[in-house]
Amino acid sequence: MAAGCCGVKKQKLSSSPPSGSGGGGGASSSSHCSGESQCRAGELGLGGAGTRLNGLGGLTGGGSGSGCTLSPPQGCGGGGGGISLSPPPSCGVGTLLSTPAAATSSSPSLSSAASSSSPGSRKMVVSAEMCCFCFDVLYCHLYGYQQPRTPRFTNEPYPLFVTWKIGRDKRLRGCIGTFSAMNLHSGLREYTLTSALKDSRFPPMTRDELPRLFCSVSLLTNFEDVCDYLDWEVGVHGIRIEFINEKGSKRTATYLPEVAKEQGWDHIQTIDSLLRKGGYKAPITNEFRKTIKLTRYRSEKMTLSYAEYLAHRQHHHFQNGIGHPLPPYNHYS
């Protein structure tokens, strides 16, 4: 299933409902995440066709405002009735989604050791070549070239997100991914274009934006269901929450691991922000927080700028099956 990943505008965090906010999120199919570190997410897919999620907070699709609401999946229930404040079932910690590799910290750019991690830990799966492949796919699409052939990096299945940022201030330009494990070759190809062209928060990308883009690939690992909504570490874990809104509908939302740290939030601020992004409008009490079902996970992340992509490709022009000429640095000037 797909989700959205990266972008949050700075916001006042309050347990009180936002002034002038509309009704509960039960009716909308989804809404956007605004800003740089929030990602939309949906139900945790354990296989089958996934729903697209936009990067740091909700399902893709309609909806208004910056809340990252997630549509309940078919058969999810919802509708009227009182909200039960009983603790979530199945509290024990356990792996929800098996992935081929454990998580490590992300590498910021091509200049970093993309495929290695700290001494004593395993090699990372995510690599600069994955970001290059995403740039290849987008470049070929925008210029009408035949899509690049099968890349050489691993094709193991992972939940994944593709994030685009733009400009010196690295503003969010698109972020959509999936919590369903997808083979990396087809998954990155699909979500490259989905995040660049179909993130409903933004217009489709154009050729003249390419030189200012940054591409990030995040591979999600180590999903665990936890009993305590505070049982996760800021800057280490991404979190996905499931809750019942004031209309009795089930909602889900997610933040990738980097979001809380980038925003300077603690656990409570992160949870409350995620509830708002998921469309919860009522006052947030500690009693209500305890009813949240929380899943924590980790990620591997690699980021590449367009200039780094060009430099990499000029050394490995046909390595990835590219049959089109690469643009020079002044191609768009």
Side-chain angles (χ1 to χ4, degrees), residues 53-329:
L53 298 162
N54 66 15
L56 304 176
L59 284 175
T60 59
S64 59
S66 60
C68 299
T69 59
L70 304 176
S71 311
Q74 290 184 357
C76 210
I83 301 174
S84 170
L85 294 181
S86 56
S90 304
C91 237
V93 176
T95 300
L96 292 183
L97 179 58
S98 177
T99 53
T104 66
S105 33
S106 62
S107 301
S109 68
L110 179 59
S111 58
S112 305
S115 297
S116 63
S117 53
S118 57
S121 59
R122 64 163 194 84
K123 291 181 67 176
M124 292 174 65
V125 175
V126 72
S127 68
E129 188 64 26
M130 295 178 187
C131 296
C132 285
F133 179 66
C134 293
F135 269 117
D136 287 340
V137 170
L138 180 60
Y139 180 86
C140 290
H141 175 85
L142 293 177
Y143 278 88
Y145 291 113
Q146 183 177 358
Q147 283 291 308
R149 294 190 289 273
T150 302
R152 295 184 176 184
F153 54 76
T154 179
N155 194 31
E156 290 181 337
Y158 281 86
L160 59 92
F161 280 84
V162 177
T163 304
W164 298 99
K165 294 184 180 181
I166 191 166
R168 292 182 179 180
D169 54 350
K170 296 185 180 180
R171 303 182 311 278
L172 183 67
R173 188 60 182 85
C175 183
I176 298 180
T178 177
F179 280 112
S180 295
M182 291 188 69
N183 291 335
L184 289 177
H185 295 174
S186 59
L188 290 177
R189 192 186 298 269
E190 175 180 344
Y191 283 99
T192 289
L193 297 181
T194 300
S195 59
L197 306 173
K198 298 181 181 179
D199 188 328
S200 56
R201 298 168 290 176
F202 306 100
M205 283 184 189
T206 60
R207 295 178 184 179
D208 61 352
E209 292 179 285
L210 273 170
R212 297 181 290 134
L213 289 177
F214 296 81
C215 178
S216 297
V217 171
S218 298
L219 306 183
L220 311 186
T221 65
N222 292 26
F223 286 83
E224 293 178 307
D225 218 4
V226 297
C227 189
D228 186 344
Y229 73 94
L230 297 176
D231 187 11
W232 56 279
E233 186 175 345
V234 172
V236 174
H237 295 108
I239 58 171
R240 171 193 175 273
I241 64 170
E242 179 181 299
F243 62 95
I244 304 298
N245 69 9
E246 56 272 37
K247 292 189 175 182
S249 298
K250 182 184 293 185
R251 291 293 185 184
T252 61
T254 192
Y255 278 147
L256 293 181
E258 62 267 25
V259 175
K261 186 175 181 180
E262 287 177 358
Q263 297 298 316
W265 294 338
D266 61 21
H267 288 74
I268 297 296
Q269 289 174 316
T270 305
I271 292 292
D272 289 359
S273 173
L274 198 48
L275 284 168
R276 295 296 183 217
K277 293 302 178 184
Y280 188 71
K281 306 297 183 184
I284 300 172
T285 65
N286 195 50
E287 182 184 14
F288 181 76
R289 293 187 191 102
K290 291 178 180 179
T291 70
I292 293 170
K293 180 179 179 182
L294 188 141
T295 301
R296 69 186 184 192
Y297 58 89
R298 301 193 182 203
S299 76
E300 298 181 6
K301 183 181 178 183
M302 175 62 66
T303 298
L304 215 63
S305 69
Y306 184 74
E308 290 170 321
Y309 158 67
L310 287 184
H312 191 265
R313 277 291 175 253
Q314 285 166 355
H315 289 294
H316 309 281
H317 191 171
F318 292 98
Q319 187 179 50
N320 199 35
I322 307 170
H324 63 79
L326 286 175
Y329 283 97

Side-chain angles (χ1 to χ4, degrees), residues 20-60:
S21 62
S28 64
S29 62
S30 67
S31 58
H32 310 307
C33 307
S34 55
E36 220 175 78
S37 26
Q38 171 193 358
C39 290
R40 293 177 281 179
E43 286 300 308
L44 182 61
L46 298 180
T51 347
R52 285 199 307 274
L53 298 162
N54 66 15
L56 304 176
L59 284 175
T60 59

